[in-house]
């Protein structure tokens, strides 16, 4: 299988993008990345952010573990002025893995320790953290919860992939009960309580996670769900609007943000030659958000743009734009060079996926030019990440550049950019998908291996990688 990233120069990358009709822009002037900006009344020192990257390395009770704290010390030291803290479940049964963080009163001390070490590391390295913004992402994993999936709606293509009983392999079907309206009403209380914990701990903002087909994202696409949380746009957006209003009423000083899918698409599967191919779907699509109901390849941002406007009016101060489903369409959420072991080969040149992220983010930013928008989809560009980010900020396509996978191997990327140095080539993420492979590895006593970058953070994660490979059921 041929690989795609063969670029030694920016001109070579741009030539390929032009030949494919893509709107990728690069700039050698990186000064836009060093500009400050105002978010929610706070001055943020630069336009560089770390995305909510889970390490799957918490304790079994949902508290941060040693590797969790290490990541946040490294993030704090690195120089990015916006650290978008990872997903923490608002209820233990809403975790996506057994080592995901939980945000509630019982885990507050651990979260306070994480935040303190992150900020202290930043102060030690940079002298001042008054222009550093650190948040926490609040989540419920819905159909991807462990040990039991909790469905908001039925999806004819995701239900067969949603395992209800791991011993028998039984999957969800049309008779699988959904979370009731009363269940969702009670869950609103848990979101408010989690926000109170995050505010008391001292996080600058909370993110209400609405992406990647976890629960709040799936509610947005619940066209066939009965009751007050399904069907119409008003009903499908009811949960997020009411939660935002309740948090604003209870905690008026707490900044609220959201990481939101603007395009779901549909699930893909492994086809001939291991290439990804779309599921055979019927139209109109019964369950997809930000997607043309008659053509899954075409984003339709009418509803996402409408919802973002409503959330802005309710007080949401920042939106992190993303798309896709890591379990069903990984090439859409994060263009990659090499797939994880359980994934398919990319069905498109990764530059097409990068361009999709940039174009849709630009549409959101253009609709709300005064709302800070954080962009995704940069990691595949490797050494050219920041030339692309600077060009996008310069041209008003985005407000802040977010770095996800690449922050695991090179958490101090911002230091290099701000000091005018090229990135450390020995630590630039090559999108090998080792981190995703570790995230999918669950065959130990904790039910989950910690994830990081085995090739470029070798001392810590190479032993974990070797253990996961040597003990994998497929290796026996």
């Amino acid at each position: 299988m041929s690989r795609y990233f063969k670029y030694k120069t920016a001109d070579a990358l741009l030539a390929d993008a032009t030949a494919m009709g893509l709107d990728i822009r690069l700039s050698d002037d990186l000064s836009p990345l060093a500009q400050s900006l105002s978010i929610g009344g706070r001055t943020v020192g630069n336009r560089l952010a770390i995305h909510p990257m889970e390490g799957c390395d918490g304790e079994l009770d949902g508290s941060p573990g040693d590797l969790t704290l290490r990541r946040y010390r490294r993030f704090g030291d690195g120089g990015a002025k916006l650290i978008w803290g990872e997903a923490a479940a608002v209820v233990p049964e809403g975790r996506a893995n057994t080592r995901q963080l939980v945000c509630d009163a019982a885990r507050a001390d651990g979260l306070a320790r994480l935040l303190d070490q992150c900020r202290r590391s930043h102060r030690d390295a940079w002298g001042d953290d008054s222009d550093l913004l650190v948040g926490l992402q609040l989540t419920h994993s819905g159909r991807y919860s462990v040990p039991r999936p909790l469905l908001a709606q039925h999806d004819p293509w995701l239900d067969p992939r949603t395992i209800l009983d791991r011993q028998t392999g039984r999957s969800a079907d049309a008779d699988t009960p959904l979370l009731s309206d009363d269940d969702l009403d009670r869950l609103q209380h848990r979101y408010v309580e989690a926000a109170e914990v995050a505010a008391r701990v001292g996080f600058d903002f909370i993110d209400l996670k609405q992406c990647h087909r976890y629960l709040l994202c799936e509610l947005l696409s619940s066209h066939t769900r009965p009751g007050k949380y399904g069907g119409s746009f008003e009903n499908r957006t009811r949960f997020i609007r009411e939660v935002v209003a309740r948090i604003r009423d209870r905690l008026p000083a707490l900044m609220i943000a959201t990481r939101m899918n603007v395009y779901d698409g549909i699930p893909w599967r492994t086809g001939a030659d291991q290439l990804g191919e779309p599921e055979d779907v019927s139209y109109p699509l019964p369950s997809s958000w930000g997607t043309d109901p008659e053509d899954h390849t075409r984003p339709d941002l009418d509803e996402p743009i409408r919802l973002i406007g409503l959330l802005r009016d309710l007080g949401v101060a920042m939106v992190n734009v993303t798309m896709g489903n890591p379990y069903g369409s990984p090439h859409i959420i994060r263009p990659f060079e090499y797939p994880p072991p359980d994934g398919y080969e990319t069905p498109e040149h990764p530059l097409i996926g990068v361009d999709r992220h940039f174009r849709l983010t630009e549409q959101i930013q253009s609709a709300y030019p005064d709302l800070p928008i954080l962009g995704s989809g940069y990691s595949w560009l490797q050494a050219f990440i920041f030339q692309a980010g600077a060009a996008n900020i310069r041209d008003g396509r985005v407000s802040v550049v977010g770095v996800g996978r690449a922050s695991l191997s090179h958490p101090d990327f911002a230091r290099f950019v701000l000091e005018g140095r090229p990135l450390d080539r020995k630590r630039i993420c090559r999108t090998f998908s080792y981190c995703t492979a570790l995230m999918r590895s669950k065959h130990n006593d904790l039910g989950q291996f910690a994830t990081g970058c085995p090739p470029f953070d070798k001392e810590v994660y190479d032993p974990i990688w070797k253990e996961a490979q040597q003990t994998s059921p497929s290796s026996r």
Side-chain angles (χ1 to χ4, degrees), residues 34-86:
Q35 296 171 354
S36 63
L37 75 161
S38 177
I39 301 178
R42 290 280 302 277
T43 296
V44 181
N46 59 45
R47 305 295 185 102
L48 296 167
I50 290 177
H51 277 312
M53 293 300 297
E54 290 180 55
C56 303
D57 50 18
E59 305 294 349
L60 290 180
D61 71 350
S63 301
D66 290 341
L67 287 179
T68 320
L69 299 175
R70 175 183 183 264
R71 281 188 296 110
Y72 282 87
R73 288 194 299 268
R74 284 156 61 90
F75 291 159
D77 175 83
K81 289 293 187 177
L82 176 54
I83 299 177
W84 200 293
E86 68 193 79

Side-chain angles (χ1 to χ4, degrees), residues 314-430:
L314 287 169
V316 167
M318 174 171 48
V319 175
N320 184 329
V321 170
T322 184
M323 59 194 73
N325 178 338
Y327 310 97
S329 54
H331 71 286
I332 291 176
I333 176 177
R334 45 178 177 252
F336 57 79
E337 193 76 359
Y338 295 84
D342 63 345
Y344 50 73
E345 294 284 352
T346 180
E348 63 185 13
H349 194 294
L351 269 178
I352 295 173
V354 172
D355 176 73
R356 183 186 297 115
H357 272 279
F358 291 178
R359 284 188 295 104
L360 300 192
T361 301
E362 180 181 21
Q363 289 183 49
I364 302 297
Q365 186 69 86
S366 296
Y368 301 106
D370 297 327
L371 180 67
I373 303 296
L374 174 56
S376 306
Y378 286 87
S379 285
W380 185 82
L381 294 175
Q382 299 187 25
F384 305 106
I385 287 173
F386 302 105
Q387 287 169 276
N392 287 343
I393 290 172
R394 176 199 66 197
D395 296 341
R397 307 181 83 191
V398 73
S399 302
V400 185
V401 173
V403 178
R405 290 166 293 170
S407 68
L408 296 177
S409 61
H410 205 324
D412 53 350
F413 63 85
R415 180 186 301 279
F416 282 67
V417 171
L418 297 170
E419 293 178 355
R421 293 189 284 155
L423 295 180
D424 179 354
R425 289 193 170 273
K426 294 182 179 180
R427 293 191 291 141
I428 296 174
C429 176
R430 312 289 191 214

